[in-house]
């Protein structure tokens, strides 16, 4: 059984994001980049399934610049068997990534594609659902537990009302939530081994996919700074401030 796992190179979650002075986007110059945390969870789950003997091959895929090779090497250090870089200088949107993944799925013929539910840079939460629609495969989003069985996968989903368990016929799409697992720490020996694993590079046009942007960013601004709180001496003063200053009662 083969599993495809898309991984995205994003600004590290520990970094304080800065907006460019012209408001055209986020400043990524000299900023630490790393694998999207949700994708790391997806890859960890695929590797665990392989270690349990349920999966025979895990393939990490990244779409972006040549620097994404670093992200793929990290993925292979976690446990992916090989990597595929779809190299492009265009900032790809969810639909373009979904089309690329469809083309790769048609070529690689995986039984399962596991994705992070969203990337922490655009928070779109769209690629998995779009890919399922393009492939015509069943999907389970926000997975907190994944169990592979003969010809199907059972997924426990996190929903507003609690948990929901669904059973999908393979091939299928699964998107991961935070509580699915805790990714392992990448060790130096595995980093060295990852350097010897195969990494193929293709272009979107090789896959017959047009990645031209369909959306236009008008302006990016930082959220308004939160004002400091105040202390009040008694309940009467609190009610007065809520009524006349905040105007919420």
């Amino acid at each position: 059984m083969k599993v495809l796992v898309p991984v995205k190179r994003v600004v590290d979650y520990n970094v304080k994001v800065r907006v460019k002075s012209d408001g055209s986007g986020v400043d990524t110059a000299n900023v630490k980049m790393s694998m999207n945390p949700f994708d790391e969870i997806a890859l960890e789950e695929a590797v665990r399934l392989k270690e349990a003997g349920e999966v025979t091959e895990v393939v990490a895929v990244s779409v972006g610049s040549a620097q994404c090779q670093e992200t793929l090497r990290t993925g292979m250090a976690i446990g992916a068997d090989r990597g595929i870089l779809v190299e492009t200088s265009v900032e790809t949107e969810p639909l373009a990534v979904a089309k690329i993944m469809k083309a790769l799925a048609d070529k690689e013929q995986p039984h399962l594609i596991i994705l992070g539910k969203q990337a922490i840079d655009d928070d779109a939460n769209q690629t998995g659902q779009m890919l399922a629609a393009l492939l015509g495969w069943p999907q389970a989003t926000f997975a907190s537990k994944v169990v592979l069985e003969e010809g199907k996968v059972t997924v426990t989903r996190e929903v507003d009302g609690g948990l929901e368990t669904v059973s999908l016929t393979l091939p299928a799409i699964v998107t991961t939530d935070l509580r699915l697992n805790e990714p392992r720490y990448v060790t130096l020996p595995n980093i060295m081994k990852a350097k010897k694993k195969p990494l193929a590079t293709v272009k979107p046009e090789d896959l017959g996919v047009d990645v031209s942007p369909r959306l236009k960013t008008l302006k990016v601004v930082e959220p308004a700074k939160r004002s400091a709180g105040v202390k009040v001496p008694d309940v009467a003063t609190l009610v007065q401030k809520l009524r006349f200053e905040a105007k919420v009662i």
Side-chain angles (χ1 to χ4, degrees):
M1 179 181 289
K2 182 188 295 185
V3 178
L4 285 186
V5 184
V7 294
K8 187 176 184 181
R9 183 174 183 262
V10 298
V11 175
D12 189 90
Y13 69 93
N14 288 312
V15 173
K16 180 174 172 54
V17 175
R18 296 172 298 175
V19 175
K20 292 180 180 178
S21 57
D22 60 358
S24 61
V26 173
D27 187 4
T28 57
N30 301 316
V31 171
K32 182 183 177 183
M33 308 291 283
S34 61
M35 186 186 298
N36 178 49
F38 289 102
D39 297 342
E40 196 173 358
I41 292 170
L43 186 57
E44 173 68 25
E45 190 65 20
V47 172
R48 290 188 185 189
L49 291 172
K50 182 187 173 187
E51 291 172 343
E54 303 285 349
V55 170
T56 55
E57 185 181 26
V58 177
V59 183
V61 181
S62 192
V63 181
S65 64
Q67 286 86 350
C68 291
Q69 290 186 29
E70 180 184 341
T71 306
L72 286 171
R73 291 295 177 192
T74 300
M76 288 186 279
I78 291 173
D81 298 288
R82 58 188 173 94
I84 301 174
L85 171 61
V86 183
E87 189 174 353
T88 175
S89 58
V90 178
E91 188 174 344
T92 50
E93 296 166 358
L95 181 58
V97 175
K99 288 181 177 180
I100 288 171
M101 288 305 303
K102 179 188 183 300
L104 288 174
D106 292 339
K107 181 180 178 182
E108 295 284 339
Q109 295 294 307
H111 297 84
L112 185 65
I113 301 178
I114 307 180
L115 312 89
K117 70 172 184 178
Q118 65 193 68
I120 62 172
D121 51 1
D122 57 16
D123 280 331
N125 185 18
Q126 296 174 343
T127 304
Q129 293 88 330
M130 288 178 170
L131 178 57
L134 291 172
L135 286 169
W137 290 6
Q139 62 174 310
T141 55
F142 314 120
S144 61
K145 185 178 180 181
V146 177
V147 179
L148 272 178
E149 298 171 346
E150 189 66 33
K152 67 178 183 178
V153 57
T154 302
V155 179
T156 301
R157 304 179 59 238
E158 295 193 5
V159 296
D160 291 341
L163 298 176
E164 176 186 56
T165 301
V166 295
S167 180
L168 311 177
T169 303
L170 297 177
I173 305 289
V174 174
T175 71
T176 62
D177 216 326
L178 277 174
R179 281 158 288 279
L180 178 59
N181 61 53
E182 184 175 342
R184 69 193 66 189
Y185 178 77
V186 180
T187 61
L188 182 58
N190 287 334
I191 292 174
M192 300 307 292
K193 290 177 185 177
K195 294 181 179 180
K196 298 180 180 179
K197 292 183 179 180
L199 197 163
T201 301
V202 298
K203 302 285 187 181
E205 48 267 29
D206 298 335
L207 301 172
V209 178
D210 179 14
V211 294
S212 300
R214 293 166 174 257
L215 305 175
K216 181 180 179 181
T217 300
L218 300 180
K219 191 176 182 182
V220 177
V221 296
E222 292 187 10
K225 292 190 185 321
R226 186 175 178 179
S227 58
V230 295
K231 290 184 177 180
V232 293
D234 49 46
V235 174
T237 307
L238 173 62
V239 172
Q240 186 179 29
K241 284 184 175 293
L242 290 175
R243 178 175 296 173
F244 300 108
E245 293 183 18
K247 299 186 186 310
V248 294
I249 60 173

